[in-house]
Amino acid sequence: MLFRMDVRFITDRSLGRLSKWMRLLGYDTVYYRGDADRTFLRKAEREGRVVLTKKRDLAGRSHPGQVILLREDRVENQIAEVLNRLSLQPDPGAMFGRCLLCNEGLETVAPEDVAGFVPDYVLRHGRDFKRCPHCGKIFWPGTHRDRALHYLRTRTPVHFP
């Protein structure tokens, strides 16, 4: 497996949870809210994205890009399926580097820049803050990060650092 973060994805609306987890892993992943149709495939082609879908009819359509028809129903198995089918290993340095809501890359910000936007306890004890330049959501390492890593390590059949 390779640390390749240049792969970009688009998921149809049936794969919202997978989209969020792929972002958490550091992959640029668009969650497409419209119908999984020709417009969806054209967007994937235009943006150079690998299509992730459970819709069998998409796999049979003419499309110059890559379409991965996922067989798994559970998100932890879908993560493994995508990574294994593309021989990918997430880069630990890229994990938690994208906004889980809007997919933008996060920017590092100083603690004083997030004062009033995070709980006082977090501000006093935290040092590593990131903000989404698009939606403004602020992220920091905490128990949510620990729980996500625990989930990946114990629930997915893939090795995570």
Side-chain angles (χ1 to χ4, degrees):
M1 294 221 183
L2 302 171
F3 284 157
R4 280 193 40 226
M5 300 309 295
D6 60 332
V7 181
R8 297 164 29 132
F9 299 100
I10 187 169
T11 67
D12 64 39
R13 64 180 172 200
S14 71
L15 296 171
R17 289 187 67 211
L18 176 62
S19 177
K20 192 173 190 176
W21 279 99
M22 295 305 289
R23 290 174 181 172
L24 184 142
L25 293 173
Y27 291 101
D28 181 341
T29 306
V30 168
Y31 173 60
Y32 190 79
R33 287 177 166 75
D35 291 331
D37 56 11
R38 282 188 212 131
T39 305
F40 172 68
L41 292 175
R42 277 192 223 109
K43 180 174 178 61
E45 179 183 0
R46 204 172 41 251
E47 297 179 8
R49 295 182 181 278
V50 175
V51 173
L52 302 178
T53 186
K54 290 198 56 76
K55 297 195 170 277
R56 296 191 190 299
D57 63 318
L58 278 185
R61 291 195 183 178
S62 175
H63 175 65
Q66 188 169 8
V67 176
I68 296 180
L69 177 63
L70 296 173
R71 292 178 229 118
E72 298 290 342
D73 291 324
R74 299 178 57 93
V75 72
E76 60 269 19
N77 295 331
Q78 291 171 346
I79 294 166
E81 186 176 3
V82 171
L83 297 177
N84 289 332
R85 300 233 340 240
L86 295 173
S87 298
L88 296 174
Q89 176 65 44
D91 179 353
M95 291 173 70
F96 304 98
R98 301 198 78 78
C99 181
L100 300 180
L101 299 177
C102 64
N103 192 42
E104 288 291 321
L106 301 176
E107 299 173 339
T108 300
V109 292
E112 57 269 16
D113 294 336
V114 299
F117 297 101
V118 299
D120 289 338
Y121 175 83
V122 171
L123 187 60
R124 282 193 308 275
H125 299 288
R127 290 184 295 274
D128 181 25
F129 294 98
K130 295 183 182 201
R131 180 175 22 214
C132 175
H134 180 73
C135 72
K137 183 162 175 58
I138 299 167
F139 297 85
W140 62 91
T143 57
H144 57 281
R145 180 183 285 209
D146 296 338
R147 284 192 304 269
L149 286 171
H150 178 75
Y151 180 87
L152 289 169
R153 289 177 181 141
T154 61
R155 300 282 303 274
T156 63
V158 174
H159 171 73
F160 287 96

